[in-house]
Amino acid sequence: MTTTSALPKQYDPSEVEPRWRRFWLENGFFHADEASPTVPYSITLPPPNVTGSLHIGHALGFTLQDILIRWKRMQGFNAMWMPGIDHASIAVHVLLEKDLQRRENKTRFDLGRDEFLRQAWAWKERSGVRIGEQEKLMGYSLDWPRERFTMDERANRAVIEAFVRLHEEGLIFRAKRMINWDPVSETVVSDLEVDTVEENGSLWEIRYPIAGGAPGDAIVVATTRPETLLGDTAVSVHAGDERYKHLHGKLVELPLTGRRIPIVAVDLMIDGKSWPDPSFGSGAVKVTPAHDPTDYEVSQHAGLPVLQVIDATGRICDPAPAKYVGMPMVEARKAVVADLEAAGLLGTVKDYKVPRGRSQRSGAVIEPMLMEQWWVKAAQLAEKAIAAVEQGKTRFVPEHETKTFMHWMTHIKDWCISRQLWCGHRIPAWHCAQCHGITVAREPPAACTHCGSAAITQDEDILDTWFSSGLWPFSTLGWPDRTRELATFYPNNVLVTGPDILFFWVARMMMMGLHFLGKVPFRTVYLTSIITDENGAKMSKTKGNGIDPLDVVFGATLDQLIERVDIERPPVDLELLKRAVRKNFPKGIPAMGADALRFAMAALNTTLRIRLSVDRVEKYRNFINKLWNASRFALMNLDGYDPERFEAQLSTSAGRAALGMPERWILSRLQAVVGDVDAALESFRFNDAAGAIFHFVWDELCDWYIEIAKPHLYAGAEFEQDAARTARRHIVQGVLATALETTMRLMHPFSPFVTGEIWQKLSKPPQLPGSLMITVFPRSDPSWTDAEAEREMRLLQEVAVGCRMLKQTYGVSPAQSTDVELRVGNAEQRAVIERHLGLIERAAKVTARVSADIAAPAPAGSAKEVVGGDLEIVMLLGGLIDVAAEQSRIAKDIAKADKEIALLDRKLGNADFLARAPEDVVAEQRGRLAEEQARRRRLADALATLSGGAGDAPGGAAGGAR
RNA sequence: GGGCGAAUAGCUCAGCGGAAGAGCGUCGCCCUUACAAGGCGGUGGUCGCAGGUCCGAACCCUGCUUCGCCCACCA
C-alpha cells in the first residue's frame, strides 16, 4: 500500500483556508504592477457602503469578479482588481441618526456638525475594517495596496476638480426648482431616491365659495391633501370647459385663510396629457404651487404667486394662519378637515389610492418643495453615453439591459446633487454676504471673486454620494493627474454590479468617464442576479430570512442566529423575527467553507434571480468534498509516479500511443471541458462554466475514470517485477495526476483554497511555478480530442449500465457477480467490447462472455436488455426471473420504440422533408429509424421467447429493412 | 399608464430551429478498501393557452392569460 500521508476523509476548510489566505497576502500575489508590459485586465470593485458588513448580494457580485480576475491573471494578463469602500452619505446618516435617537434620544443637531462627523468617521473605521476582513475571508484577490475610500484625500481632490470643471463649463448650476424634500433627514433627495407607492388615502371634495356670490354659491375642488389648501393661490379649470366659462377671472374665498384667490383658465399639456382633465372630479383643481410639481408648472404659466406653507421639518409654517403654524402634516390635515366640516365646506369624502413618494433611506413621506439647489445638466452628458453604447463601446450583459439603460438615458432629467447632510464632500462654493455672488474654487478663496469682499462662507451643503461614485473608475487611479495607473488600467474591462444601481451608478460613471477622459469607463457591464430566499422574497434582516455569507463559511447554530437577533435590535417585533429565523434555519447553518459558497454562487447564477437556500449551497459543499476525496485517492496511489518521466512520455508519439483507451478518453474529455469553461467565462456564463467542471469531475473523472484506474493502480504495487504492469501503472498514475492537476488549475478561479491545497500536494513537473494562483490557466488542446475513444467509452458505459439495470431489476445484489452473455452483431463493436471486457465486468460486477450470435434464442430463465440495434445483454439468471415482470418491462420498451418509429416514419415519409432538410439530417434520421427498428425486433423476439413461442410478437411496426 | 423579463419533471432552473436535460425531492438496492457530505438503479414532462411561419418549433412571429421587476408629478 501507500506511504503518502493520508488526507482526512472529510475536507476541512477551517484548516486549509487560513493558510492559503496568509500565503497569498504575504507574497503580494494580488498586486498588479502598472508598469508591467503585459496586457492589462482591470475591474473596479463596486465599493461597499460603510454601513455595516457584506451581505450575500455582495458575495455574489464579488465572487464573480474574483473568478474573472483570477482567470485572467492565470492567463497571464496584468490583472488588477481595485478595492475600496464608499462613505454612502445618506445611508450612514440615517443609520447614525437612528442609533443616536435610540441610544441618547438626540438628533444630529443636538450633537453639532463636528461631533457628528467624528462619530461618522469612527463608524467608517470599524465598518471598513470589517468589510476588508470579510473580503479576505472569502479569498477575494483584491489589489490591497491600492485600497481606496471615497472620502480619502485623493478622492476629495477628484471630486473638487470635477465639480469646478463642470461648473466652469456650465454643466453644474444653481437653480430654484421643485425638489423632493425628506423632512425626517431634512435634506433634498434626487428623483431616484424616492419610491412611489400607492397607499390607502381619501379623495376629499371641498367647496370654495365664490367671492361676492350668492350664499352656497361655490366651486368644488377635489384633493387628496386637504391641508395644502393653506398654500393655494388659485383654482384652475380647463379653458375649454363650458361649465366654468362664466367663472374665469372670478375670485373665490379660500376657506380657513381669509384670502381670496382667482379662478384661472388653463389649457396645458403636462406629461403628454391635457391639464386639467374636465372629466376628473368636478374638473376644477386647487393650485398649490409651492408643494406640488404640477401646480408649480400651472403657476408658472398662469403667473400665479408661490406660497410656501410647509417648512423643512414638514410642519405648517408662517404664511399660513397662525392657528396651524407648527403643526406636523398629519395633525394639520385633521385640523383643516375638522374646520372645513365645521364651516360646512366639506363635500363627499371617498376612499382613494394615493401615490405617495417615500424616501428610500429614511422612509419619510416626501414633500415636493421649491428650493434653490445645485444641479448637473444631465442631458448633455447623457448624449455621449448614449452614443458610446450605440457604437458598442460599452455593452451590457445580459443584453436586454441595454434597453433599460438607454430608455433612462434618453429621458434623463437634471440631477440635483446638493444635500443638506453633513457626511460627504462639502460643495466647493463660497457665498458672499456682500454681493450675494458665489465663488466656486479648487482652494478656499480669500475673497469673493465678484466684489472682493472677505465676508464669504462656504456652502453648507454636501454632494450626493453618487457624485463621487461617478468618478470612481478613474479617481481611484489618480485622476486628475495623468498617472501611469490611469494609462494602464483605464478603461476597465468589466464592471460587475447589481441592476439596482444601474441608474444611480453605472449611468453616472458612463457620463463622467466620457466627459472627463473621453473614453468609456468599462467595455462590458455585467449585471448580476438578485438573491432572494427560496420563496422568492428579498432577503432582509428584518424578515429573518437573510443568509450571511460568513455564516455559510464558518457555520452558525440556530442558537447563534437567534442570539444575533437580540444584538442587532432591528425595529421590528423581536419574537416574530426569532420565530422566522427558527422556521428558516431550523438546523442553523453548517460550516461549508468559502470555496463551496463561491462555487455555488457561480453555479447558481443565471439571468433570473437566485433563490438561495442552505440546502442548495450544501450540494456544492459536497462537491468540494468529492473533489477532495478524489485527490485523496490519487495521492494514496501515486507512489512511484514520476511527473517528469510521464511528461517526457507524452511528448513523443510513441508514448502517446501507449495510452489506453480510457486514458485517451478522459484526456479528450478533459480538453473538451477546458474549452467549454474558457468559452463560458468569455461570455460570462458562469453557471455553464461551473456546471461543466462539476459534471466532468463527478460524472466522468470520479464515476468512471477513477473506477477504471483502480485495478491498474492496486495491481502495480504487487507486481513490481512485471515490467508491462508497472509501465501501465505509471501511465494510469500519470493520467490521473494530469487530469487532477489540470482540473485544479481550471477550477482555481472558482474555489481557490481547496484547489490550491490539492495542487500543492500533487506531484507535478518541476518547471511549474510554486503557487497555483500564478500558474497558467489550462488551454484546450484539440490534439487530445479523441472521437474514437469517446465513442468506445460511450458503448462500454451503455453496456455496463444495461447490466446494472438488469441486476437491479431482478434483485441481484450489487455485490454478487452474475453471468451475462453479450451478443454483438456489429463486428467493430464486438471487437471494442472484447478488448475492454474486464472494464465492463468490473463496472457492473458481472462475468461476461461475448458472442456474435445475436439471433440465437436466449436460454430459459434469462433476462434480456437491448442496447442500440445490434447488441443484446442476456443475463443468465437460472430461472430466477419473474416472467410476467420481464414481459411487462419489455413490452414497455417496445411501446416506446413503436412511438419513436412512428415519428421517424412520418418524418421520412414526408417528401418535403427529404427534399428540403439538409442531407446529414436526413441521413441521421434514417440511421435512427433503422436502429430503432432493429432494436424493436430484438425486443419482440425476447418477448416471444418469454411467452414460450417463437416468431413475431404483438405490436405493429416491427421489421423493416436494414 | 409605459417598458422589460419569466411561464419546461413535485421544487429550483438549464436548453432557445433538427432524438426533452440537470440538481434537489421521491422510490428501491448497497456501510464495494477515495468519498454515506458516498455508490448503483428507477419513477417523473401534450415545454402556460390559441393561432401563424417552416420540411421540421420548447426554441422564431402574433395575440391572450398569469406572475415578477423597473420607470411614471395626474387632482
Side-chain angles (χ1 to χ4, degrees):
Chain A
M1 267 312 346
T2 177
T3 53
T4 314
S5 64
L7 264 45
K9 269 177 136 181
Q10 279 194 2
Y11 173 63
D12 178 8
S14 69
E15 195 276 320
V16 170
E17 290 179 4
R19 275 190 281 119
W20 286 96
R21 211 153 39 227
R22 215 174 312 124
F23 176 73
W24 293 328
L25 291 170
E26 280 169 5
N27 285 282
F29 286 147
F30 301 161
H31 185 58
D33 178 3
E34 62 270 15
S36 161
T38 52
V39 182
Y41 182 91
S42 57
I43 299 178
T44 302
L45 180 84
N49 290 350
V50 290
T51 43
S53 49
L54 296 188
H55 54 66
I56 199 82
H58 290 120
L60 170 65
F62 295 7
T63 297
L64 301 184
Q65 287 167 68
D66 196 37
I67 289 170
L68 293 173
I69 277 286
R70 284 181 181 266
W71 169 54
K72 287 294 173 186
R73 189 184 291 123
M74 286 176 74
Q75 283 187 334
F77 286 83
N78 187 20
M80 192 282 288
W81 190 15
M82 172 67 75
I85 47 175
D86 193 301
H87 66 284
S89 173
I90 189 165
V92 169
H93 239 273
V94 168
L95 215 73
L96 275 182
E97 289 198 280
K98 274 187 186 157
D99 196 49
L100 208 55
Q101 181 75 41
R102 196 167 50 201
R103 281 201 340 258
E104 306 177 36
N105 198 24
K106 281 185 181 166
T107 71
R108 72 176 201 254
F109 300 103
D110 297 327
L111 238 62
R113 192 164 187 150
D114 289 345
E115 174 57 19
F116 186 83
L117 277 179
R118 207 190 52 74
Q119 293 196 7
W121 277 92
W123 184 286
K124 175 256 155 186
E125 226 27 73
R126 280 196 304 275
S127 176
V129 167
R130 189 158 63 230
I131 289 168
E133 277 167 5
Q134 289 178 309
E135 288 165 343
K136 285 169 188 142
L137 289 172
M138 289 296 293
Y140 299 143
S141 62
L142 288 152
D143 193 339
W144 290 109
R146 296 186 191 278
E147 188 181 12
R148 298 288 305 276
F149 174 49
T150 51
M151 282 195 67
D152 64 25
E153 231 162 276
R154 289 163 75 193
N156 285 341
R157 217 177 120 227
V159 164
I160 289 171
E161 180 67 24
F163 186 96
V164 173
R165 272 202 219 170
L166 287 171
H167 183 257
E168 283 166 357
E169 292 158 349
L171 292 171
I172 281 183
F173 60 97
R174 216 169 138 73
K176 190 171 189 179
R177 292 188 180 177
M178 192 56 77
I179 50 82
N180 307 298
W181 185 258
D182 175 342
V184 169
S185 298
E186 294 192 37
T187 181
V188 176
V189 292
S190 74
D191 295 341
L192 282 176
E193 293 166 285
V194 180
D195 286 332
T196 312
V197 281
E198 285 222 324
E199 294 180 8
N200 288 325
S202 307
L203 188 66
W204 324 72
E205 286 192 341
I206 306 171
R207 280 193 291 279
Y208 285 12
I210 307 293
D217 209 3
I219 189 165
V220 175
V221 298
T223 181
T224 55
R225 302 187 64 196
E227 67 282 6
T228 61
L229 131 179
L230 302 171
D232 283 4
T233 59
V235 170
S236 70
V237 296
H238 195 272
D241 192 339
E242 294 295 334
R243 293 170 297 177
Y244 297 117
K245 279 228 159 117
H246 64 291
L247 291 176
H248 291 180
K250 291 261 168 56
L251 294 175
V252 296
E253 304 279 357
L254 182 62
L256 317 182
T257 62
R259 283 193 288 124
R260 285 184 170 188
I261 55 174
I263 296 171
V264 294
V266 173
D267 184 1
L268 282 178
M269 289 303 287
I270 293 178
D271 206 27
K273 276 167 267 180
S274 171
W275 184 267
D277 176 4
S279 65
F280 186 94
S282 64
V285 187
K286 59 192 277 309
V287 183
T288 321
H291 303 291
D292 182 279
T294 309
D295 290 1
Y296 179 67
E297 211 166 308
V298 171
S299 76
Q300 292 310 99
H301 280 91
L304 299 169
V306 176
L307 209 62
Q308 185 184 331
V309 292
I310 302 170
D311 72 8
T313 62
R315 291 181 164 80
I316 301 296
C317 66
D318 185 19
K323 175 181 178 189
Y324 305 104
V325 169
M327 284 186 185
M329 302 307 288
V330 183
E331 257 177 63
R333 171 171 303 177
K334 282 184 201 149
V336 165
V337 169
D339 292 347
L340 285 172
E341 189 145 37
L345 296 174
L346 200 59
T348 58
V349 181
K350 51 184 176 186
D351 291 341
Y352 198 70
K353 293 271 181 214
V354 277
R356 182 164 294 162
R358 281 187 181 272
S359 164
Q360 254 165 28
R361 289 293 173 181
S362 73
V365 174
I366 293 295
E367 289 294 344
M369 296 245 222
L370 199 60
M371 288 178 100
E372 189 155 38
Q373 297 292 337
W374 291 95
W375 301 82
V376 169
K377 208 175 271 183
Q380 210 168 315
L381 294 169
E383 272 174 28
K384 288 183 202 160
I386 292 165
V389 172
E390 275 171 352
Q391 290 159 18
K393 287 177 180 160
T394 293
R395 69 185 184 106
F396 291 84
V397 180
E399 208 251 320
H400 67 81
E401 297 285 357
T402 314
K403 275 190 186 166
T404 317
F405 178 84
M406 290 299 248
H407 182 264
W408 191 75
M409 273 298 191
T410 47
H411 294 84
I412 198 163
K413 287 183 286 186
D414 287 341
W415 172 19
C416 180
I417 50 170
S418 41
R419 299 287 182 276
Q420 290 65 48
L421 302 169
W422 294 341
C423 187
H425 297 98
R426 192 96 173 248
I427 289 177
W430 283 260
H431 299 264
C432 176
Q434 210 74 43
C435 71
H436 302 293
I438 294 173
T439 304
V440 170
R442 289 174 179 81
E443 301 292 335
C448 173
T449 48
H450 305 285
C451 69
S453 162
I456 53 170
T457 46
Q458 185 169 6
D459 199 302
E460 291 290 322
D461 291 356
I462 59 153
L463 287 165
D464 181 4
T465 188
W466 297 103
F467 189 87
S468 60
S469 309
L471 313 173
W472 196 238
F474 46 97
S475 70
T476 48
L477 297 172
W479 186 88
D481 294 335
R482 294 168 56 167
T483 60
R484 184 76 188 257
E485 287 95 319
L486 200 57
T488 303
F489 297 121
Y490 189 96
N492 285 177
N493 294 72
V494 184
L495 172 78
V496 178
T497 192
D500 50 331
I501 52 176
L502 183 62
F503 307 141
F504 276 116
W505 194 40
V506 182
R508 269 77 182 258
M509 288 189 285
M510 285 291 284
M511 294 193 284
M512 296 294 198
L514 282 161
H515 184 73
F516 288 113
L517 287 114
K519 279 192 247 172
V520 293
F522 22 72
R523 312 248 179 249
T524 303
V525 177
Y526 179 82
L527 297 166
T528 60
S529 319
I530 298 284
I531 296 193
T532 69
D533 70 9
E534 51 200 317
N535 303 314
K538 213 179 160 194
M539 286 194 176
S540 106
K541 273 187 186 170
T542 52
K543 272 189 283 185
N545 64 350
I547 297 177
D548 185 323
L550 291 191
D551 285 344
V552 178
V553 175
F554 297 114
T557 63
L558 178 60
D559 286 344
Q560 287 170 325
L561 293 174
I562 296 280
E563 196 182 333
R564 201 172 308 153
V565 169
D566 277 328
I567 295 167
E568 287 175 354
R569 286 171 300 167
V572 290
D573 186 325
L574 283 184
E575 288 314 309
L576 212 70
L577 188 53
K578 284 182 189 175
R579 225 173 305 149
V581 170
R582 272 200 190 90
K583 185 170 158 277
N584 290 322
F585 308 99
K587 287 174 294 189
I589 302 174
M592 299 194 255
D595 284 329
L597 178 59
R598 293 172 54 118
F599 201 89
M601 289 293 175
L604 297 175
N605 184 64
T606 67
T607 49
L608 293 171
R609 67 183 180 295
I610 299 177
R611 292 185 197 237
L612 192 72
S613 66
V614 173
D615 294 355
R616 301 188 79 185
V617 184
E618 258 181 305
K619 170 182 154 186
Y620 296 99
R621 187 265 318 252
N622 296 353
F623 174 62
I624 300 286
N625 194 51
K626 184 80 182 175
L627 184 74
W628 177 256
N629 274 290
S631 311
R632 179 168 173 262
F633 169 79
L635 290 168
M636 289 192 294
N637 291 287
L638 285 182
D639 53 310
Y641 163 59
D642 178 350
E644 247 178 306
R645 185 185 57 211
F646 184 67
E647 202 180 49
Q649 179 176 357
L650 287 196
S651 64
T652 67
S653 53
R656 267 168 90 145
L659 294 177
M661 185 278 287
E663 284 66 48
R664 287 186 285 120
W665 168 72
I666 196 69
L667 292 174
S668 178
R669 294 305 311 138
L670 176 65
Q671 85 83 27
V673 81
V674 164
D676 291 347
V677 168
D678 204 52
L681 287 180
E682 209 61 73
S683 49
F684 302 95
R685 288 178 289 115
F686 297 95
N687 56 330
D688 284 348
I693 294 173
F694 187 94
H695 176 253
F696 172 76
V697 169
W698 205 312
D699 302 342
E700 293 182 323
L701 187 61
C702 291
D703 286 352
W704 289 96
Y705 189 70
I706 287 184
E707 292 307 321
I708 292 169
K710 276 177 183 174
H712 303 293
L713 295 171
Y714 293 158
E718 295 157 25
F719 294 87
E720 257 159 39
Q721 70 284 23
D722 183 331
R725 281 186 178 229
T726 304
R728 175 103 200 104
R729 179 163 189 258
H730 286 156
I731 285 174
V732 171
Q733 285 178 325
V735 169
L736 181 58
T738 302
L740 270 175
E741 193 272 332
T742 309
T743 301
M744 292 312 125
R745 282 188 280 137
L746 185 65
M747 189 171 152
H748 183 256
F750 299 81
S751 298
F753 298 103
V754 67
T755 51
E757 178 76 6
I758 294 170
W759 190 83
Q760 189 224 17
K761 287 185 181 340
L762 284 169
S763 334
K764 44 200 171 285
Q767 73 274 17
L768 287 175
S771 168
L772 175 52
M773 68 156 288
I774 50 173
T775 201
V776 284
F777 195 76
R779 264 211 304 264
S780 99
D781 175 359
S783 79
W784 285 106
T785 303
D786 194 326
E788 188 190 64
E790 296 210 17
R791 203 169 48 240
E792 292 186 4
M793 258 313 282
R794 202 155 35 236
L795 176 67
L796 299 178
Q797 286 174 331
E798 276 180 49
V799 172
V801 168
C803 291
R804 286 172 185 162
M805 193 272 284
L806 286 178
K807 283 180 75 175
Q808 176 86 28
T809 306
Y810 294 103
V812 181
S813 156
Q816 189 193 332
S817 185
T818 316
D819 289 333
V820 294
E821 185 184 333
L822 303 174
R823 303 171 160 190
V824 193
N826 179 295
E828 198 187 317
Q829 290 191 342
R830 193 166 55 245
V832 171
I833 288 174
E834 273 168 347
R835 251 197 321 273
H836 301 287
L837 202 59
L839 193 160
I840 293 172
E841 288 185 322
R842 204 187 137 78
K845 190 101 179 155
V846 290
T847 306
R849 192 164 68 78
V850 180
S851 130
D853 187 7
I854 195 157
S862 63
K864 190 187 272 186
E865 166 73 356
V866 178
V867 177
D870 225 6
L871 198 163
E872 287 181 359
I873 302 167
V874 178
M875 186 162 287
L876 306 162
L877 291 159
L880 273 175
I881 73 159
D882 174 346
V883 175
E886 178 75 351
Q887 279 175 327
S888 94
R889 186 178 66 83
I890 293 178
K892 217 169 141 190
D893 274 358
I894 290 178
K896 232 185 262 176
D898 281 343
K899 217 169 129 188
E900 193 66 26
I901 290 167
L903 205 90
L904 289 161
D905 263 341
R906 191 153 14 101
K907 217 169 189 178
L908 288 162
N910 183 342
D912 281 333
F913 173 71
L914 299 176
R916 302 200 187 205
E919 263 179 55
D920 57 319
V921 172
V922 176
E924 195 195 322
Q925 307 283 319
R926 283 214 169 97
R928 271 181 55 209
L929 179 61
E931 188 182 313
E932 272 313 307
Q933 285 172 334
R935 187 174 130 80
R936 198 215 178 269
R937 220 166 30 227
R938 309 248 165 278
L939 288 165
D941 286 348
L943 195 60
T945 310
L946 277 173
S947 314
D952 213 9
R962 273 193 56 92

